[in-house]
Amino acid sequence: MKIVYLDNNATTQVAPEVLEAMLPYFHDLYGNPSSMHSFGGQVAQKLREAREQVATLIGASPDEIIFTSCGTESDNAAIRSALATHPERRHIVTSRVEHPAIKSLCANLAGQGYRVTELPVDKNGLLDMEQMESSLTPDTAVVSLMWANNETGVIFPVEKAAALAHERGIPFHTDAVQSTGKIPINVKKSAIDMLSISGHKLHAPKGIGVLYVRKGTKFSPFLIGGHQEKGRRGGTENTPSIIGLGKACELAARRMEAENTAVKRLRDKLETALLDGIPQSRVNGDLFQRLPNTTNISFEFVEGEAILLLMNEYGICASSGSACTSGSLQPSHVLRAMGVPFTMAHGSIRFSLSTYNNEEEIDFVIEKLPPIIERLRGMSPYWTSVAQACVSA
Ligand code: PLP
């Protein structure tokens, strides 16, 4: 069965160019980049190139790039570093819609006595910047706000938020795991101190991440060990993956604009056709402040899990809520924070596209999904009573 993969915010396919760049470093060029001999030295040279490629994509300097094992590690390293370097401060500002890599960490820190402010969002998933500003106190050790939401694609004004934090001498971190490679980022033009990236969201492999740390920002390492990453992250480097991530960043820098135009056109086509073809459906999240590849659509009176199962029979892959929470039947914390009604939140599906999707795939989903929803609603007592009420009205 052909797979129609519309779950690219969960993970992406490794680009063929990325795989090709990585392969020699698993077998032939397996040297340790820290070794004195030139066999290791040639790998170290390749890591320098990868560091430059990553830095170029986000407008950073190579020595501001720290390679980590994933986005979650980068997020943890950033928050823990801010707390360690400002031990007298006990307050963290974040939002209600963060990924568990930040949300669960902050809950854990709250259990250790830190005060955590989770900023609310409005019905479109947007932040109130005045509220953000008024939450900052002399006790605030760090502000951490995601650049783009993994479930809705909604984009936060992180550059503005970073400037507000900086005016008060508060370090600012952003989880840019979903925005890197999808929208332009230039850290030089902003006051962002720390920024997290995850390779597998931009066509590099799983298990490789980056933490950008602005030059001059106080930093305390999360993983303490060898002198790798200039003592900022111990552990022998994951050389093939770092080289792969470098290549993925180079491709993203070169192709982002053209790819995004194509991806956005397909996303909009899918969204419009589903909204037009399926009654009682709506998009969750702001229509404009949004990633070009994501649409989160609610189909009222049906279970998201049931939709996923029936789509799966056609090889269509998407998500209900985020991949990390789909094991739970609770509506996602993001949709709850936006006040999406229960009957809508339960039937929400996230479609997230990539440059590897095509028109034929989108047409296939547009053909298959409306009958799936109709079939499920036919079994739903809520929908039957709504439909009867409409007929008798
Ligand atoms: N932050 C966001 C916004 C994410 O979407 C994800 C993954 O879904 C992460 C962090 C965690 O990244 P990783 O899977 O590399 O740990």
Side-chain angles (χ1 to χ4, degrees):
M1 183 168 47
K2 186 176 164 356
I3 294 296
V4 176
Y5 189 77
L6 301 181
D7 204 11
N8 287 279
N9 287 9
T11 198
T12 60
Q13 182 179 24
V14 170
E17 298 89 335
V18 167
L19 181 62
E20 196 190 338
M22 291 172 66
L23 284 177
Y25 296 89
F26 284 106
H27 189 264
D28 297 341
L29 300 170
Y30 55 85
N32 187 325
S34 298
S35 296
M36 289 301 290
H37 44 72
S38 55
F39 185 62
Q42 59 187 321
V43 182
Q45 171 54 28
K46 213 52 200 166
L47 291 198
R48 278 194 286 279
E49 279 174 34
R51 206 179 294 280
E52 268 171 36
Q53 288 164 320
V54 175
T56 303
L57 179 65
I58 62 166
S61 302
D63 55 4
E64 294 173 318
I65 300 298
I66 303 174
F67 290 112
T68 66
S69 68
C70 58
T72 302
E73 185 192 324
S74 301
D75 285 348
N76 274 256
I79 303 294
R80 290 193 186 279
S81 168
L83 298 179
T85 53
H86 300 81
E88 70 294 353
R89 303 190 198 173
R90 307 286 294 173
H91 179 221
I92 302 164
V93 174
T94 178
S95 85
R96 282 196 193 156
V97 295
E98 297 297 313
H99 185 273
I102 289 290
K103 199 172 172 62
S104 302
L105 170 66
C106 288
N108 181 282
L109 291 165
Q112 293 170 34
Y114 287 94
R115 192 165 65 83
V116 177
T117 301
E118 280 193 347
L119 298 167
V121 292
D122 68 11
K123 64 182 189 348
N124 292 331
L126 298 170
L127 274 182
D128 176 341
M129 292 307 284
E130 276 177 25
Q131 204 168 357
M132 183 257 152
E133 193 173 0
S134 61
S135 72
L136 306 177
T137 74
D139 191 38
T140 308
V142 62
V143 178
S144 179
L145 294 171
M146 66 201 318
W147 198 311
N149 189 276
N150 44 303
E151 294 190 31
T152 58
V154 169
I155 295 171
F156 280 167
V158 284
E159 285 150 324
K160 196 169 163 205
L164 293 173
H166 250 225
E167 280 167 20
R168 291 159 182 79
I170 302 169
F172 185 89
H173 164 254
T174 183
D175 175 338
V177 163
Q178 291 292 346
S179 51
T180 308
K182 293 181 188 147
I183 54 174
I185 293 181
N186 189 342
V187 286
K188 280 253 154 46
K189 287 195 183 152
S190 85
I192 292 166
D193 297 296
M194 291 181 281
L195 176 148
S196 303
I197 298 175
S198 172
H200 72 107
K201 310 291 185 180
L202 71 147
H203 304 293
K206 295 158 189 65
I208 184 69
V210 164
L211 180 64
Y212 155 83
V213 180
R214 176 184 295 280
K215 201 174 278 170
T217 303
K218 287 188 198 163
F219 188 74
S220 168
F222 180 50
L223 280 194
I224 297 171
H227 58 271
Q228 295 90 351
E229 301 298 305
K230 299 205 166 125
R232 295 170 299 179
R233 200 270 185 185
T236 301
E237 299 87 343
N238 179 351
T239 51
S241 294
I242 291 174
I243 290 161
L245 177 58
K247 186 70 190 173
C249 288
E250 185 218 306
L251 294 175
R254 226 168 345 116
R255 301 176 177 170
M256 189 187 309
E257 210 178 317
E259 285 184 353
N260 278 350
T261 310
V263 167
K264 183 176 180 303
R265 193 185 68 74
L266 291 180
R267 189 274 309 267
D268 290 347
K269 176 176 178 176
L270 175 69
E271 187 174 277
T272 307
L274 295 182
L275 293 181
D276 288 351
I278 302 175
Q280 303 290 104
S281 55
R282 73 165 209 200
V283 175
N284 298 309
D286 193 82
L287 294 182
F288 303 103
Q289 300 298 313
R290 191 168 50 140
L291 292 174
N293 79 319
T294 307
T295 179
N296 184 313
I297 307 183
S298 277
F299 305 101
E300 199 168 20
F301 302 121
V302 271
E303 278 290 344
E305 276 69 21
I307 304 172
L308 288 186
L309 284 175
L310 294 189
M311 287 201 301
N312 189 50
E313 289 179 7
Y314 293 110
I316 303 169
C317 307
S319 261
S320 68
S322 79
C324 308
T325 56
S326 63
S328 122
L329 275 178
Q330 283 289 319
S332 94
H333 70 282
V334 176
L335 300 183
R336 273 183 288 151
M338 290 161 62
V340 176
F342 202 70
T343 52
M344 278 282 183
H346 262 290
S348 89
I349 299 290
R350 175 189 71 188
F351 300 96
S352 45
L353 284 65
S354 86
T355 186
Y356 296 116
N357 291 122
N358 59 40
E359 195 98 30
E360 196 188 317
E361 293 176 329
I362 297 305
D363 288 341
F364 184 71
V365 180
I366 292 171
E367 180 199 326
K368 296 298 176 203
L369 191 52
I372 289 178
I373 304 290
E374 205 179 315
R375 185 173 148 202
L376 289 172
R377 281 179 175 166
M379 299 177 211
S380 154
Y382 298 107
W383 179 255
T384 313
S385 57
V386 170
Q388 275 165 359
C390 289
V391 170
S392 53

